[in-house]
Amino acid sequence: MFTRHTSPALFHGACLFAACALSLDSAPAAADAWPAVTATQKPWTRWWWLGSAVDEKNLTRELEAFAKAGIGGVEICPIYGAKGAEDRFVDFLSPRWMELLAHTSKEAQRLGMNVDMTTGTGWPFGGPMVTPEMSSCGLESIEVKASAGKEITIQPKGAKITALKAFPESGAAVDLMAQLKDGRLTWSAPEGNWTIRGLAVKQRIQKVKRSAPGGEGEVLDPFSPKVMNAYLESFDKAFAGYKAPKPRAQFHDSFEYYGADWSADFLDSFHKARGYDLLDQLPAFQGAGDPESVTRVRADYRQTLGEMHRTYLKAWHDWTARQGGVTRNQAHGSPGNLLDHYAVSEIPETEIFRHVGEEQIPMLRLATSAAHATGNTLVSAETFTWLGEHFQVTPDALKEAADFVFLGGVNHISFHGIPYSPEDAKWPGWLFYASTHMGPNGGLWRDLPAFNGYIQRCQSILQSGKPSSEVLIYFPYHDILHDGQAKLPLFTVHNQDKWLHTSNFYDTAMTLWKEGVTFDFTSDDLLLRASVRDGRVILGGNSFAALVLPEVKHMPVETLEKMAQLAAQGAKIIVRNRMPTDVPGFDDLAKRRAALETLKKDNASDFKPDAGNLMGTLLREKVIREPMTQAGLRFVRRNLPDGHAYFIVNRSGKTFDGVVRLGVPFQSALVMDPWDAHKTGTAPSEGIPLRLDPLQSIVVRTYTQKTLEGSPWKPLAEPVKMIDLTGPWKLEFRDGGPVLPKSIELSSLASWTNPAIPETINFSGTGSYSTSFEYQGEVSKSERIHIELGKVCQTARVILNGKLAGISWCSPHRIDLTDSIRPGTNQLVLEVTNLAANRIADLDRRKVSWKQFHEINFVNIEYQPFDAATWPAMESGLIGPVRLRVDAR
């Protein structure tokens, strides 16, 4: 990618970055290119308030720094505090805390930013307002053998019996609940052999994790809307008389209600939803008897809890709506249908954790699909969580991760994250235990505005128009439930290889992904909202050429009936391998099976088998395919009123140099470099000429009935010549620590970590490389000149003849100098900033006590106590080689 400069509009007039604007040849005016900047287009960040030990002066200082860096909003998440700062702690939702929230909201509004907040502290929801009766519940199974003449005593430790029956070898069960005394059963069995089966419930099974002062307490029952409404009464009281803009959104983190698998209202909810009494099927629920009955009863239990969690989320959502806000929800981790749980919120949020890999695309698209199915415009992502070890995550890794979530359908990135740190905190300040640290003192901050500008421009495109998904894929939730296991399944990001990757559904999604066919997913519930127009399925205001039914065993009659209705109305429904063979659940099985078979028989001709060739079938149905994926290019396509917008990333691992032919016809196109708001060029309908380095990204805007005027897009070809800049270099250190090394004269470039100079081994900050060079002759109007920096550890500002030419955030480190270079002598300064790793390692080698936080304190990527004392010096500075590249225009 060409990392020249960032849009000055992004920084509200910040002088340094306004100076980055270059006068370049361009195609149509900016109005035809990048949308006007909004706060929502910019990246946001989770903002941890450690101990809520915040004050007005420091809140304003940090918010102003965020705004200058190009951050559009914050999500306040209060957590445990820093040791030694206890006298600054502020209790969550106290009058003082609400004053600080009001100050934050007003300052954010002044700065053109916005504010979200977690509806609680740490995670998951809970706190001192949660009474024992409101707390999450864990279920214990009771199974005791009894025989005549032997007295049995049952009293579960720490649990309350909620159901207890004695089952004889033959005949009717005997309810023993009336015989309990003080939660204890003493019983002598009548004649014969018996099995006593029951359920016992534990409450107060989990405390709020990473809670802030005033937020300590029990975790909420995540399956009860009644409990949720009681919990929110504390927030109603706190917001009474609130005199500031309320948060844009309330946030709910991923489902981490550990051990929660019951609710006080479960038995009633189960009976209403499933049509029978679970206690009548206690043997099957506990794994005894016919294996099919066991599987079906357990699936019904799982489905009911999933539906109850959705009502819990809905109560939270509806309360937020009454406050004038929206919700952001991370549905993953819950035991229910993730599509339905994401769909509760206006802003469904996914996440990536530790690594980036295309096998995660279907997981990401669950949140994306929920937004599309409900007609919502934003899909957010918690990004960069534990992407690497603390202080070692490189800009290259961050850029790859950001592009990856974009490809998964995300258009509203939230950094994970930046901890609040007061001005008087000693370096490295207050920190959060999970990497990646995007704030000051982490090594990324100085040049972060360049990256933020890139994200803002990408998101301005990805938030525009409407989704352009060709295929809707049915999600086989009921097959996942019918595995017969006793344990409540939690569908997390971390275990998707077990519950998602093994399915034909997953294979279908990955086939379309690799073949260049865009897609979304639908649940049973979401599909009921679909209609047909002109032979296309309409859902959430979006149009799909076909509905694909992967190989599914269990399907509700209502779902197949809806599919048959859609097919009868002209929708193309393609079946992989076979039609569903069974219905889910236990109750009224014969009747429902018969209804399913009748539907299949009566509507067989309306469904189209894929005959073992899914792509061939889709192409015969005129489904659009983008051939660029065959070259390893990945893309997002958006529908615009007068054309389409494409975000394209080269994930092939090698340079792409050729013409990209798009799957949707167009009359003309505009190519836009998201690293440079001013670099655009037109392209003809025959195809888009592109040269993309590995992981380089580009935006293409097509027009269906418009011929663009302006300069054509000309990708870099082989250079006319290369000129080595060999120095000598003067290296001066600035803006860092623990101490500034002395200036060094360099005859060649290498990492500045010189073992002979200990100060350089420990230094984290900015080093300024200066040299001069001669440029022979005039700069021809037929030439364009770039500087290629080679290897940079990690970011660089290029200053030529006193003018900032650009900021290079990630590879390839290439900056346009055409308008800055002059004939004769040129003065070149390269300001390179490294990461904080070496300085952190120095602190640990000297046993400086900087990890001073309550609860988990500070851990490494393996969740062990953090110690960087043995880290080798991380390469830093300008490695090179540095060369001038002369290209024909």
Side-chain angles (χ1 to χ4, degrees), residues 372 466-472 518 520 531-546 637 639:
H372 295 175
K466 299 183 71 174
S468 183
S469 295
E470 278 290 284
V471 172
L472 193 60
T518 55
D520 279 326
S531 60
V532 179
R533 185 173 64 235
D534 298 329
R536 296 178 68 93
V537 178
I538 307 300
L539 183 61
N542 302 302
S543 170
F544 301 87
R637 186 180 65 230
N639 290 336

Side-chain angles (χ1 to χ4, degrees), residues 336-646:
N337 193 320
L338 298 189
L339 282 166
D340 294 338
H341 291 181
Y342 280 125
V344 169
S345 291
E346 291 85 355
I347 310 176
E349 179 163 300
T350 186
E351 68 174 285
I352 52 172
F353 189 94
R354 289 193 67 154
H355 77 287
V356 169
E358 292 195 8
E359 75 279 359
Q360 300 177 71
I361 286 293
M363 184 75 201
L364 293 178
R365 290 209 69 86
L366 288 169
T368 301
S369 298
H372 295 175
T374 52
N376 286 305
T377 58
L378 296 178
V379 183
S380 59
E382 173 190 310
T383 51
F384 315 143
T385 310
W386 284 121
L387 200 56
E389 187 54 272
H390 285 286
F391 313 108
Q392 293 186 2
V393 179
T394 66
D396 279 335
L398 295 173
K399 197 270 184 182
E400 180 186 8
D403 287 349
F404 180 72
V405 297
F406 290 154
L407 292 173
V410 169
N411 58 10
H412 189 35
I413 276 180
S414 179
F415 294 157
H416 190 276
I418 302 177
Y420 169 96
S421 187
E423 195 168 22
D424 62 356
K426 292 183 179 179
W427 196 92
W430 292 359
L431 298 170
F432 182 63
Y433 76 89
S435 176
T436 300
H437 178 38
M438 299 296 294
N441 304 329
L444 300 166
W445 184 257
R446 186 173 192 260
D447 294 327
L448 186 63
F451 185 44
N452 289 345
Y454 168 79
I455 292 175
Q456 178 266 311
R457 283 185 282 279
C458 292
Q459 292 191 158
S460 74
I461 295 298
L462 296 170
Q463 291 175 17
S464 64
K466 299 183 71 174
S468 183
S469 295
E470 278 290 284
V471 172
L472 193 60
I473 308 174
Y474 173 74
F475 178 56
Y477 170 62
H478 298 283
D479 280 359
I480 298 171
L481 294 184
H482 282 70
D483 64 4
Q485 299 300 308
K487 190 175 181 181
L488 185 69
L490 299 179
F491 305 124
T492 75
V493 169
H494 314 294
N495 69 350
Q496 58 183 287
D497 58 318
K498 295 179 173 61
W499 62 269
L500 181 62
H501 294 182
T502 57
S503 65
N504 184 259
F505 163 84
Y506 178 83
D507 176 73
T508 299
M510 290 305 296
T511 296
L512 300 189
W513 166 257
K514 293 171 183 177
E515 292 289 341
V517 176
T518 55
F519 58 88
D520 279 326
F521 308 141
T522 183
S523 67
D524 301 275
D525 182 71
L526 293 171
L527 186 63
L528 295 178
R529 311 179 192 186
S531 60
V532 179
R533 185 173 64 235
D534 298 329
R536 296 178 68 93
V537 178
I538 307 300
L539 183 61
N542 302 302
S543 170
F544 301 87
L547 169 62
V548 171
L549 177 57
E551 184 174 324
V552 175
K553 180 177 181 181
H554 302 91
M555 177 177 281
V557 172
E558 297 80 4
T559 302
L560 189 60
E561 186 174 36
K562 178 65 177 183
M563 288 188 181
Q565 291 173 0
L566 296 174
Q569 294 166 15
K572 304 175 184 69
I573 301 183
I574 297 169
V575 180
R576 295 205 69 185
N577 301 332
R578 67 181 187 190
M579 291 288 285
T581 58
D582 210 341
V583 292
F586 178 80
D587 191 50
D588 212 4
L589 191 55
K591 180 179 178 181
R592 291 187 295 119
R593 278 175 166 167
L596 187 78
E597 291 305 313
T598 299
L599 276 170
K600 288 162 58 176
K601 179 181 178 181
D602 292 348
N603 298 278
S605 61
D606 291 334
F607 292 83
K608 302 176 184 294
D610 76 340
N613 183 3
L614 176 61
M615 280 307 303
T617 303
L618 289 173
L619 294 176
R620 283 193 296 274
E621 298 298 337
K622 310 301 182 184
V623 167
I624 296 170
R625 174 176 174 267
E626 296 288 353
M628 71 175 82
T629 58
Q630 302 306 301
L633 304 185
R634 302 296 188 231
F635 70 96
V636 176
R637 186 180 65 230
R638 302 283 295 182
N639 290 336
L640 302 176
D642 54 352
H644 293 83
Y646 289 80

Side-chain angles (χ1 to χ4, degrees), residues 44 73-76 93 97-109 113-119 232-251 318-327:
W44 287 38
V74 295
E75 175 219 310
I76 298 169
L93 296 186
W97 197 93
M98 297 304 295
E99 287 177 1
L100 293 163
L101 176 64
H103 175 82
T104 300
S105 294
K106 291 174 183 176
E107 287 295 87
Q109 185 179 60
M113 302 174 67
N114 217 323
V115 175
D116 292 352
M117 68 174 281
T118 303
T119 319
L232 293 170
E233 289 176 4
S234 296
F235 292 83
D236 284 328
K237 292 176 183 176
F239 275 101
Y242 185 73
K243 303 295 185 184
K246 287 187 177 180
R248 175 198 71 158
Q250 295 287 331
F251 174 70
D318 292 349
W319 172 83
T320 304
R322 292 193 295 272
Q323 305 298 314
V326 298
T327 57

